[in-house]
Amino acid sequence: MKKLVAFILTLLMLASVFGACGKSVTTAGNTETTSDGNEKSTSETTTPEYEDIYVDDDDRSDVPVIVEHEMLPEEKIPSSFSLIGTTHLPPIDNQGSLGTCASQSITYTQLTNAVSRYLHSKDPDIKWDPSSGDEKTIFAPKFTYNFSGSGTAWVYNIIKDHGALTLDRCKFASNNGYKFGDQSYNREKQTISWPTNSGDMEKALNYRINDYEQIWLKTVSDKLTTSDEGKDLLYKIKDAIVQGNVVVTGGFSSSWRYLSQSDIKRSGLDADNDMVAVWCNGTNGGHQVSIVGYDDDFTCIFDGVKMKGAFKVANSWGNWGDNGYFWVMYDAVNRVSAHEELNDKKKYENRTVALDQFCFIYWEKDIVAEMPQAYVTLKLSAKNREGFYVELSRTDSTDTAKAYIPYLFTYGDNFEGIHSHSFFKDGESTVTFGGTVDAKKAETGYMTFGYNTLTESACSFEDFLWGLNLTVIDGPVTIEKISLYDGDGKLRAEIVPPEESKTVSMGAVSFVFDAGSDPKSNHDVGSYKFKNSASGLYISPDADSALRISSDSNPLNATELEVQFDLVNRNHVIHLGGKQYILDIRDKTIADGVDVKFNAYNKRRNTQTWKVVRLEDGSYNIRLAADTRYALGMVDGKPVLVSGVGIRDYGNWILEKAGNENMTVTVRCNSNGKLMAEGRIPTADKEESITVTAYSSSGEKVNSWKVQGEGELRTLSYELTGLTAGTYCFTFTDSKGKEVSASYIALVK
């Protein structure tokens, strides 16, 4: 089952991302246009060899919320402005042979600048100077690249969830640029290792972002200066720079065409330093860079045409161009030039936009320079750092639950960064935290995750159960220690899991921390039986088909459906346990009355993910993620899509945990200060009992109790005696020794 789940999630993840790799092989120096419209190189300057993934991120379902920003009035926008030479801008970096351009422009340049300005706004006397090259103040591209790969949105989302680490603790190997290894697969461990030394990921959580804004040029019809919408975008870019923000952009660097030496001289520019991109000849070599200035009066002459206005851009190719900087003319960002002469089909047949997107974060409102309200550190040992993933959850006293999988694991099977098959040779299959390929011994890593996406500022640490689920796909993985902290860095609970549950070869193990005394329940993903509230009928397959949903009033024959979290779009996938069929609709038509059935997984269908929404009465709506106006309903004993009042009348469902998972057990201190095991055993299994075992924080068994439910509902309410004050890990097993609930970590006072 776990292999099936992993397979389905991997397919879903890969299906949602598409990109194009471009390897720079063309000259990026100056070119001179001949009379026949062809170009010849007039410079020996070439781009470094690199490979960058260029992803059209607006195809993802988790497009970020647009950031509101108060723009300056027109009279306060000067004709030129530059961030170069300020305290906050780091020196030009050199990505060498690594495809790290997105992390270079976002993490190294944009985030470094924003955090520095934010910290200086809070403390003008702070000793924080990225321009000096101080590695303690510059954020490391390795941190985001090795966890996300090369996608623009991927890098931003890593910073949102995990933050970023500074260069003094996280650097690629370097030799005149970042170094991966050689053609004989002698890989640099320093480059391919993860930043999982003790304290690394915890320190990174101190520097996160609330959000970012990504605007594609196609939203203004690829017309930066030749449309009103484009001019508004240009104004927005200028405003961001004037207010101290770096703007990340991207284009096709191998297709950029620059002023020839003769045109540089004709323009009165510096022939030794000025590098000016004047148009883009195709779509080769996706590359991200940073806009750090602009000049409306910057003028050049190209092909006899006088062009005016340009962006000052920071690259990541070391001492290339003008000490790492170059100009991009505004007109180069128009698909159709504002100058008729530069639209000649013979000369400029492959003309496209030089820059196709602009990404904004604002230092005054998007920087989060503090720890999350709660975070957890795992000390793990594994041979394969990619053989598992973690899901975090929190549940409050009203039974409102939230869960998410950190973005680090979302990109676990994408491109170069996190996953290792890009640098494996034939026969290799695993890599450790420290970068050892096909290690014979497990290596230890410390992974810290914040609950920042699950909490509200008005709530306190004690308001929640804090959940942790570790799913192992390719083990074994050993959990050496789990430590839970509050936002002040205070250790609230620390536990060494008992031997029975600390090493996982395949499958999942769950832990729940309870920092308060109020009762809280814990809902999570797993196997459920779906019962329609209105009809009382359950979902089960037809006798003649395992693919179609029908109803059955006998709960013993009801199908157990697997509810899994979709790693990509953070909705839910509902499928038949043990079969590769996913809850779907009859065809692509979304309308009332359309049959709901199981279809084989199809990456081209957008109707195979759902939003499982809990209602106030404890029932659920199963909303279609592609159009949340529609939900799963049961009308006349037939599962169909319903909307509007149909959801109210036919679309409420009760999710019953299947088998012994229907046992819901927790440990808490009641109002009298007694430590109680509380919950229930399924009514159908009256002879069943539960063994509650307590382990000390060091993993030693302290005590155990065999308890049975009482009454028709088999309610559990059993006092656990004989424990002194301390932190304990409680496990719950049935009469066959099977764990029936997540391990529960509680503070006994």
Side-chain angles (χ1 to χ4, degrees):
M1 172 57 65
K2 297 299 179 182
K3 288 184 178 179
L4 168 64
V5 172
F7 171 74
I8 292 175
L9 294 180
T10 299
L11 289 177
L12 286 166
M13 180 161 47
L14 291 175
S16 72
V17 180
F18 65 91
C21 299
K23 196 160 189 175
S24 177
V25 294
T26 62
T27 299
N30 301 317
T31 57
E32 185 171 0
T33 305
T34 61
S35 58
D36 60 2
N38 295 320
E39 294 179 337
K40 62 180 181 180
S41 174
T42 59
S43 171
E44 296 300 319
T45 305
T46 59
T47 59
E49 190 171 293
Y50 69 96
E51 188 170 324
D52 284 338
I53 304 300
Y54 201 62
V55 180
D56 190 352
D57 295 304
D58 64 352
D59 189 55
R60 291 173 53 88
S61 61
D62 57 349
V63 175
V65 177
I66 297 300
V67 178
E68 294 183 1
H69 173 70
E70 186 175 346
M71 296 177 65
L72 295 173
E74 187 173 359
E75 62 269 18
K76 291 190 177 182
I77 302 294
S79 61
S80 64
F81 197 89
S82 177
L83 302 177
I84 300 172
T86 62
T87 299
H88 315 290
L89 200 66
I92 291 292
D93 201 16
N94 189 347
Q95 70 182 76
S97 61
L98 297 183
T100 60
C101 64
S103 287
Q104 296 291 152
S105 56
I106 297 168
T107 312
Y108 181 90
T109 306
Q110 187 182 49
L111 182 67
T112 294
N113 173 81
V115 169
S116 178
R117 289 180 181 274
Y118 176 83
L119 295 178
H120 278 270
S121 74
K122 299 298 181 182
D123 179 7
D125 297 324
I126 190 173
K127 294 182 179 179
W128 191 279
D129 183 6
S131 67
S132 68
D134 182 359
E135 293 184 344
K136 294 180 180 179
T137 66
I138 300 173
F139 291 98
K142 175 183 173 179
F143 185 87
T144 48
Y145 178 69
N146 281 18
F147 280 159
S148 73
S150 301
T152 304
W154 307 344
V155 174
Y156 281 116
N157 286 329
I158 288 294
I159 299 173
K160 285 176 65 176
D161 270 12
H162 303 280
L165 200 59
T166 47
L167 278 174
D168 61 313
R169 299 185 67 146
C170 183
K171 285 194 298 187
F172 291 118
S174 180
N175 181 12
N176 191 28
Y178 295 145
K179 183 180 179 183
F180 168 75
D182 58 30
Q183 298 299 318
S184 300
Y185 285 92
N186 295 315
R187 291 148 295 205
E188 296 283 352
K189 280 190 177 182
Q190 183 179 338
T191 292
I192 66 175
S193 63
W194 277 5
T196 52
N197 291 325
S198 179
D200 281 352
M201 292 185 68
E202 180 179 354
K203 183 176 177 63
L205 279 173
N206 274 292
Y207 305 104
R208 292 170 284 118
I209 59 174
N210 284 314
D211 219 330
Y212 68 99
E213 183 179 5
Q214 184 179 31
I215 299 177
W216 292 88
L217 190 66
K218 63 186 178 183
T219 63
V220 296
S221 303
D222 293 339
K223 300 176 180 179
L224 184 68
T225 66
T226 56
S227 71
D228 290 339
E229 295 83 359
K231 291 175 182 177
D232 288 342
L233 175 57
L234 178 58
Y235 187 89
K236 180 181 179 70
I237 296 168
K238 294 178 183 179
D239 167 80
I241 294 170
V242 171
Q243 296 203 51
N245 301 287
V246 170
V247 178
V248 168
T249 187
F252 305 101
S253 60
S254 296
S255 298
W256 289 337
R257 296 297 178 256
Y258 304 86
L259 280 184
S260 65
Q261 289 286 337
S262 58
D263 275 342
I264 286 178
K265 294 177 181 178
R266 194 175 296 117
S267 302
L269 301 175
D270 186 343
D272 294 327
N273 293 311
D274 283 326
M275 181 80 76
V276 185
V278 289
W279 73 290
C280 188
N281 184 27
T283 56
N284 293 321
H287 187 51
Q288 297 289 93
V289 289
S290 306
I291 300 176
V292 295
Y294 68 89
D295 188 345
D296 294 340
D297 298 320
F298 182 86
T299 303
C300 73
I301 298 173
F302 169 63
D303 201 10
V305 175
K306 185 176 182 180
M307 306 171 71
K308 189 176 182 181
F311 295 120
K312 190 71 168 183
V313 179
N315 207 340
S316 53
W317 294 342
N319 192 27
W320 171 91
D322 181 8
N323 295 311
Y325 298 96
F326 68 109
W327 293 97
V328 177
M329 301 304 296
Y330 294 160
D331 188 65
V333 192
N334 295 320
R335 181 177 293 275
V336 178
S337 174
H339 306 281
E340 185 177 350
E341 301 92 327
L342 302 184
N343 293 317
D344 187 313
K345 294 295 184 180
K346 292 183 178 180
K347 290 184 178 181
Y348 308 105
E349 179 182 1
N350 297 319
R351 181 185 176 99
T352 187
V353 295
L355 307 173
D356 66 356
Q357 62 177 288
F358 301 91
C359 303
F360 303 82
I361 61 173
Y362 299 101
W363 65 263
E364 77 277 9
K365 63 186 308 177
D366 288 329
I367 297 301
V368 183
E370 61 183 15
M371 293 300 289
Q373 185 180 4
Y375 61 96
V376 63
T377 294
L378 296 175
K379 181 181 179 182
L380 303 171
S381 294
K383 294 180 182 179
N384 184 9
R385 69 190 187 191
E386 297 160 18
F388 64 93
Y389 65 87
V390 170
E391 182 181 23
L392 302 180
S393 64
R394 71 104 177 110
T395 311
D396 63 20
S397 57
T398 65
D399 197 22
T400 301
K402 291 183 178 181
Y404 92 111
I405 295 175
Y407 266 108
L408 185 161
F409 301 104
T410 301
Y411 307 123
D413 209 11
N414 283 323
F415 303 102
E416 292 199 24
I418 181 175
H419 79 274
S420 49
H421 59 68
S422 61
F423 57 73
F424 280 163
K425 60 184 178 182
D426 290 344
E428 295 178 338
S429 60
T430 64
V431 60
T432 64
F433 296 112
T436 302
V437 176
D438 282 353
K440 295 182 179 180
K441 294 183 179 180
E443 292 182 3
T444 299
Y446 295 80
M447 306 194 79
T448 300
F449 307 102
Y451 288 88
N452 35 292
T453 65
L454 301 178
T455 57
E456 297 84 21
S457 58
C459 296
S460 70
F461 184 85
E462 288 77 13
D463 287 332
F464 302 113
L465 290 177
W466 305 97
L468 168 72
N469 185 82
L470 176 75
T471 299
V472 178
I473 300 168
D474 182 17
V477 175
T478 299
I479 307 172
E480 303 286 353
K481 186 185 294 185
I482 308 173
S483 306
L484 182 71
Y485 299 85
D486 63 21
D488 295 325
K490 180 180 178 181
L491 180 64
R492 290 302 192 102
E494 187 169 77
I495 201 79
V496 173
E499 289 295 329
E500 295 92 318
S501 58
K502 69 184 302 182
T503 299
V504 185
S505 295
M506 178 74 74
V509 60
S510 298
F511 298 88
V512 178
F513 292 88
D514 189 354
S517 58
D518 293 332
K520 311 175 187 75
S521 59
N522 183 43
H523 280 280
D524 54 8
V525 297
S527 298
Y528 291 89
K529 295 180 180 180
F530 283 50
K531 178 181 179 181
N532 186 257
S533 297
S535 65
L537 302 178
Y538 289 79
I539 292 177
S540 63
D542 282 342
D544 60 347
S545 173
L547 305 184
R548 184 176 295 279
I549 297 176
S550 67
S551 58
D552 193 322
S553 59
N554 185 351
L556 296 179
N557 294 331
T559 301
E560 297 180 7
L561 304 181
E562 289 286 332
V563 180
Q564 291 294 334
F565 202 69
D566 184 344
L567 294 174
V568 176
N569 57 35
R570 304 192 172 200
N571 295 320
H572 287 85
V573 179
I574 302 170
H575 60 91
L576 282 168
K579 298 180 176 66
Q580 296 178 23
Y581 297 106
I582 296 178
L583 191 67
D584 198 352
I585 61 177
R586 181 185 60 218
D587 50 37
K588 293 184 178 181
T589 301
I590 300 175
D592 281 324
V594 169
D595 289 343
V596 178
K597 59 180 291 184
F598 283 103
N599 282 325
Y601 167 72
N602 185 337
K603 67 180 181 180
R604 298 185 182 277
R605 293 182 67 88
N606 68 343
T607 54
Q608 295 188 336
T609 53
W610 303 77
K611 292 183 180 294
V612 180
V613 181
R614 189 180 188 280
L615 307 177
E616 291 184 359
D617 63 359
S619 63
Y620 291 82
N621 284 162
I622 315 298
R623 300 267 182 168
L624 187 64
D627 189 339
T628 55
R629 294 174 300 173
Y630 294 88
L632 170 65
M634 186 174 286
V635 180
D636 297 330
K638 183 179 181 181
V640 294
L641 284 184
V642 293
S643 66
V645 295
I647 297 177
R648 181 196 64 193
D649 295 339
Y650 307 108
N652 291 353
W653 296 84
I654 297 172
L655 271 60
E656 298 179 354
K657 276 251 179 172
N660 278 346
E661 291 183 358
N662 212 23
M663 298 180 181
T664 56
V665 188
T666 60
V667 174
R668 73 177 187 91
C669 289
N670 65 16
S671 58
N672 297 321
K674 295 181 179 180
L675 186 68
M676 307 295 293
E678 297 184 346
R680 74 180 186 90
I681 300 177
T683 305
D685 198 353
K686 295 183 179 180
E687 302 301 320
E688 184 61 270
S689 63
I690 292 178
T691 298
V692 181
T693 306
Y695 296 85
S696 69
S697 59
S698 60
E700 298 175 353
K701 182 177 178 180
V702 176
N703 206 343
S704 65
W705 304 264
K706 187 175 182 179
V707 299
Q708 286 187 313
E710 298 178 355
E712 185 67 23
L713 295 178
R714 309 291 289 157
T715 302
L716 295 177
S717 182
Y718 188 89
E719 183 179 359
L720 306 178
T721 58
L723 296 179
T724 58
T727 301
Y728 294 89
C729 180
F730 296 91
T731 63
F732 311 94
T733 54
D734 62 16
S735 57
K736 297 179 181 179
K738 178 184 176 182
E739 286 196 14
V740 297
S741 185
S743 298
Y744 202 85
I745 299 171
L747 308 179
V748 177
K749 300 179 181 179

